[in-house]
Each structure stands twice: as structure tokens, then as C-alpha cells.
């Protein structure tokens, strides 16, 4: 009988200890603040350039009050906060969600604009990390994506207050992409891959005819045709260069083409020669 009482007392103490231990190990749950307070704290953080703090406040509001009075404005401000924090992928995703969830919102043009701008800034950041790569290995796909998103924005909201900035960025993007193509062309010239260089020059002429890079693109095609002994084609493009750019830096005083200074000793790309120039 005494053994049973002792065992019962031991089990009671063990149970109480287990409950107390479990309670002490549980994380402290912060009490919910009023919805407006989360929103105001997020706004204040943005005003003080504390983007990371603002992100937390807006996300807390979104989690605690998913159908609240301030959630739409908070989700819109979250896009900007993530952008300011240089979280461009997150800002793009938040803009995409806003577009999907609020297709009739009055600020929809802002969401479309920020979506494109996030891609643009993200591409700039990514590009800066790979400056030491040769031009052919640099990825310009994000710049093309940004251009397409700005174009989509302008098609939907041609009179938006953000339209002038979008147009200016699109012009800049076209120039960047065209210049990127020419950088690759010069890289191929160094590798004695004239067919590949020719393709890059033609790409600029055909798809980016209004950019300042067209003059150089014509020179690239002339040089490539000369390297390939296709002199008739070279003369055709030379005539175009003379007609459109009579004061071109690629023409001498007698309007003759000034050849590029190509390296005399350069190891051609093996795959290029094996495939007869069909593979860059």
C-alpha cells in the first residue's frame, strides 16, 4: 500500500513537472496590435528609410488581417518596401500577386510599373556581378524581359504618370541590348568567328534600327563580309553606311571603309570551325 502511494505521488510530481516544462518551452506569442497600428508603423519605417522594418510591419498586417481595411494599401506599399530594400525578386513577385488579386484597383498601373522596374533593377545588379565575363557569356535575358514588361505597362496605361519614365527606360534598354550584341560581335572577331560576328551585326540592324548602335553594326557586317571574302555584300552594306552616316568614324576622307584592328594571332574556337560556323 505504501509503495502504491509513493508511486502515485511520484507520477503526480512528474506530470506537473512535464506540464511546466512544456509551457516554458513554448515561444511567446506577441499580442496582435490594431490593424492601423501595423500600417502606420510600416509607413513610418518607410519615411525613415527603414525598408526591412517596413516589410515586416506590412507582412505582419497581411498575416493578422488578411481581409482588413488596410491590407490592400499594405500590399501595395510592400512592393515599394521590398524594392527599396533591393529585394527585387520579392518586389516583382509581390507586384505579380497584386496584379492577379486586384485587377480593377485604381493603383494597378503602379503595380505593372513596379513589376517592370524590379526586373530592370535586378538585371542591372546581376549584370554588375559578371563584368569580368566575356560578352558572349553575359546574360541579357532579364533586360529583354524588363523591356517586354515596360511595353506591356505602356500598352495598358499609356496615360499613366509613370509612362514617361517607362519610355525613357525602354530607350535605354534598347541601346543597352544593341550594344551588348555588338560586344559579342567583337568577341567573335577576336576568335576569328566572322559568321557569328556577322549574325550579331545583322541582329542589331534588323531589330534595333533606331539605336545609335546601327552605325557600328553596319561596320561589323562590312568587316565580317570582307573576312569571308564576300565583297559584293560588303560593298552593299558600305553603300548603306555612306548614305546614312556620311561622317562615320568607320569611313576615311575618301569615304573608304576603315577596317577594324583585328588581332593577328587568335586561337579560333574549335567548335566554330568544326561546325563551319554554324555553332557559335
Amino acid at each position: 500500500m505504501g509503495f502504491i502511494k509513493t508511486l502515485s505521488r511520484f507520477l503526480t510530481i512528474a506530470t506537473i513537472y512535464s506540464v511546466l516544462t512544456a509551457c516554458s518551452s513554448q515561444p511567446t506569442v506577441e499580442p496582435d496590435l490594431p490593424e492601423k497600428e501595423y500600417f502606420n508603423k510600416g509607413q513610418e519605417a518607410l519615411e525613415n528609410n527603414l525598408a526591412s522594418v517596413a516589410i515586416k510591419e506590412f507582412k505582419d498586417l497581411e498575416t493578422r488581417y488578411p481581409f482588413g481595411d488596410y491590407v490592400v494599401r499594405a500590399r501595395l506599399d510592400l512592393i515599394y518596401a521590398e524594392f527599396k530594400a533591393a529585394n527585387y525578386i520579392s518586389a516583382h513577385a509581390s507586384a505579380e500577386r497584386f496584379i492577379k488579386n486586384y485587377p480593377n484597383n485604381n493603383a494597378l498601373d503602379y503595380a505593372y510599373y513596379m513589376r517592370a522596374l524590379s526586373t530592370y533593377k535586378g538585371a542591372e545588379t546581376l549584370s554588375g556581378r559578371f563584368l569580368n565575363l566575356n560578352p558572349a557569356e553575359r546574360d541579357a535575358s532579364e533586360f529583354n524581359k524588363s523591356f517586354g514588361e515596360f511595353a506591356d505597362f505602356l500598352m495598358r496605361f499609356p496615360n499613366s504618370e509613370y509612362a514617361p519614365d517607362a519610355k525613357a527606360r525602354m530607350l535605354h534598354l534598347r541601346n543597352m541590348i544593341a550594344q551588348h550584341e555588338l560586344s559579342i560581335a567583337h568577341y567573335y572577331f577576336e576568335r576569328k568567328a566572322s559568321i557569328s560576328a556577322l549574325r550579331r551585326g545583322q541582329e542589331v540592324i534588323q531589330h534595333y534600327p533606331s539605336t545609335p548602335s546601327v552605325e557600328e553594326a553596319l561596320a561589323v557586317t562590312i568587316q565580317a563580309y570582307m573576312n569571308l571574302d564576300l565583297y559584293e555584300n560588303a560593298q552593299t552594306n558600305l553603300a548603306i553606311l555612306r548614305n546614312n552616316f556620311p561622317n562615320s568614324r568607320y569611313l576615311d576622307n575618301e569615304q573608304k571603309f576603315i577596317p577594324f584592328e583585328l588581332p593577328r594571332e587568335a586561337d579560333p574556337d574549335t567548335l566554330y570551325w568544326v561546325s563551319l560556323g554554324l555553332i557559335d
Side-chain angles (χ1 to χ4, degrees):
M1 214 43 198
F3 172 75
I4 294 174
K5 288 182 178 180
T6 302
L7 179 61
S8 176
R9 187 181 301 109
F10 173 79
L11 291 174
T12 300
I13 294 172
T15 301
I16 294 172
Y17 178 77
S18 299
V19 171
L20 291 174
T21 303
C23 291
S24 64
S25 64
Q26 290 179 354
T28 302
V29 178
E30 296 181 3
D32 290 349
L33 299 174
E35 181 189 8
K36 187 175 181 180
E37 190 165 340
Y38 285 112
F39 182 76
N40 289 340
K41 288 172 70 175
Q43 290 287 320
E44 184 179 353
L46 278 180
E47 290 174 3
N48 292 309
N49 294 318
L50 300 173
S52 297
V53 176
I55 291 171
K56 180 182 182 303
E57 297 299 336
F58 292 137
K59 285 187 174 181
D60 283 347
L61 186 155
E62 188 177 20
T63 300
R64 289 172 167 81
Y65 300 95
F67 305 104
D69 295 331
Y70 290 87
V71 69
V72 177
R73 293 168 61 185
R75 287 172 175 169
L76 199 63
D77 287 338
L78 177 62
I79 300 170
Y80 180 71
E82 289 172 332
F83 180 85
K84 290 291 288 183
N87 296 335
Y88 301 121
I89 294 176
S90 297
H92 187 277
S94 294
E96 288 273 21
R97 283 195 298 272
F98 192 92
I99 291 168
K100 179 180 179 180
N101 293 330
Y102 306 103
N104 299 314
N105 189 273
N106 290 333
L108 194 62
D109 64 328
Y110 176 77
Y112 272 95
Y113 169 74
M114 288 300 294
R115 181 184 68 167
L117 189 61
S118 296
T119 303
Y120 176 89
K121 295 297 291 186
E124 277 191 337
T125 303
L126 185 65
S127 176
R129 295 177 186 172
F130 300 106
L131 287 177
N132 293 328
L133 291 177
N134 73 61
E137 293 177 343
R138 296 177 195 161
D139 186 10
S141 60
E142 287 300 294
F143 288 116
N144 282 296
K145 178 182 177 183
S146 177
F147 186 90
E149 289 177 343
F150 276 126
D152 184 31
F153 159 72
L154 287 173
M155 181 185 69
R156 295 172 185 272
F157 308 100
N159 299 318
S160 168
E161 62 180 298
Y162 309 108
D165 183 75
K167 291 176 183 177
R169 292 185 187 276
M170 287 180 70
L171 288 174
H172 178 63
L173 283 167
R174 284 179 65 86
N175 293 341
M176 284 184 61
I177 296 168
Q179 192 56 51
H180 175 73
E181 293 292 325
L182 294 179
S183 296
I184 298 176
H186 287 292
Y187 168 77
Y188 283 135
F189 275 139
E190 292 175 1
R191 302 293 294 173
K192 294 186 177 178
S194 294
I195 292 178
S196 297
L198 175 63
R199 289 177 183 149
R200 297 295 178 168
Q202 291 173 331
E203 174 76 11
V204 173
I205 294 169
Q206 292 172 8
H207 295 100
Y208 307 100
S210 60
T211 65
S213 297
V214 171
E215 177 187 355
E216 185 178 350
L218 284 167
V220 164
T221 60
I222 295 167
Q223 184 68 62
Y225 281 132
M226 289 173 62
N227 294 351
L228 297 167
D229 296 331
L230 298 173
Y231 297 109
E232 185 175 343
N233 299 76
Q235 286 298 322
T236 298
N237 281 36
L238 178 56
I240 297 173
L241 179 65
R242 287 170 177 163
N243 185 55
N244 290 276
F245 304 96
N247 299 316
S248 173
R249 65 184 185 275
Y250 301 105
L251 298 173
D252 63 17
N253 293 332
E254 297 179 356
Q255 293 286 286
K256 293 181 180 179
F257 180 67
I258 302 175
F260 292 175
E261 292 184 6
L262 301 177
R264 294 184 178 180
E265 298 296 334
D267 294 329
D269 186 275
T270 303
L271 185 58
Y272 172 83
W273 288 112
V274 169
S275 64
L276 299 179
L278 297 178
I279 301 177
D280 291 346

